[in-house]
Amino acid sequence: MEFIIERWGSTYVPWPNQEERKSIMERNKERGMPGCMRSLDCYHWEWHQCPTGMAGAYQSRKGKRGIVMEAVCDEDLWVWHLFVGVPGSLNDISVMHQSPLYLDVTGGRWPPRNHPYTIKGTTRLFPYYVVDSISPRFSFLISPHPKPSAEEQTTFNRLQEARRKDFKGCFGSS
């Protein structure tokens, strides 16, 4: 992974520049999700060739060896962020709490707040990522309504799931 990031990281996993952020925000507004940056999720990759000496650090709760990768991708299947969890971090939340994206957002370094958007008459500056229902509740992570009771909540869940399919298509997960 170090080689991949060193060799291709700046080309294939860049932070979006101001023009790209504006385009992202405009496209997602057109898709019914104003303020949405991208789809964020984790992918559990089974590591069949894990060295025996490292097996304990990469053991999943299902008894298999694997690595958890956190990624942000778009509808074009372009990966904008990739973080591979460290040994022993075999669930989405422990990986998230160590990721550069999470640390930059909670540290106030990312994302820039220069693309205002309006939802229900309220102007906001802080963009968000769509995530699944097991993600922690943070203002920059928007998960589906757990038990939608109104048509508006059901519609939101459909839109949110459509954005999450961006990630699923990128990694071929279900």
Side-chain angles (χ1 to χ4, degrees):
M1 288 309 296
E2 289 175 11
F3 169 76
I4 291 170
I5 292 169
E6 182 180 310
R7 174 69 174 87
W8 292 293
S10 61
T11 303
Y12 292 101
V13 191
W15 288 103
N17 62 35
Q18 184 171 345
E19 184 179 309
E20 291 166 332
R21 281 191 309 273
K22 184 177 180 182
S23 174
I24 291 165
M25 302 292 272
E26 287 173 2
R27 285 190 342 210
N28 283 324
K29 181 179 180 181
E30 290 170 6
R31 295 172 80 194
M33 299 289 286
C36 179
M37 284 292 291
R38 299 266 187 241
S39 179
L40 168 74
D41 205 348
C42 288
Y43 179 75
H44 296 256
W45 177 64
E46 194 171 331
W47 189 5
H48 297 287
Q49 302 296 324
C50 178
T52 305
M54 299 172 71
Y58 291 96
Q59 192 80 21
S60 74
R61 69 178 187 274
K62 295 179 181 178
K64 297 184 179 185
R65 297 173 191 157
I67 295 175
V68 181
M69 297 180 291
E70 177 189 80
V72 173
C73 58
D74 65 13
E75 68 274 10
D76 297 325
L77 307 183
W78 187 266
V79 176
W80 291 91
H81 162 74
L82 179 67
F83 175 68
V84 178
V86 298
S89 58
L90 289 171
N91 68 56
D92 297 13
I93 295 172
S94 65
V95 169
M96 177 187 291
H97 284 210
Q98 299 173 52
S99 90
L101 175 64
Y102 172 82
L103 296 174
D104 282 349
V105 171
T106 58
R109 295 178 295 278
W110 176 259
R113 290 148 178 89
N114 57 355
H115 296 289
Y117 60 96
T118 304
I119 296 178
K120 291 185 170 185
T122 302
T123 300
R124 302 172 189 272
L125 296 173
F126 198 62
Y128 60 89
Y129 296 88
V130 293
V131 295
D132 59 17
S133 58
I134 66 165
S135 296
R137 302 271 185 224
F138 294 121
S139 61
F140 66 97
L141 302 176
I142 302 297
S143 58
H145 291 283
K147 295 180 182 179
S149 58
E151 183 62 32
E152 182 179 45
Q153 292 174 339
T154 302
T155 301
F156 174 82
N157 281 4
R158 281 192 214 118
L159 286 170
Q160 201 266 0
E161 181 59 27
R163 298 300 71 79
R164 289 206 4 84
K165 285 184 180 179
D166 296 342
F167 183 90
K168 292 177 181 182
C170 188
F171 286 95
S173 57
S174 56

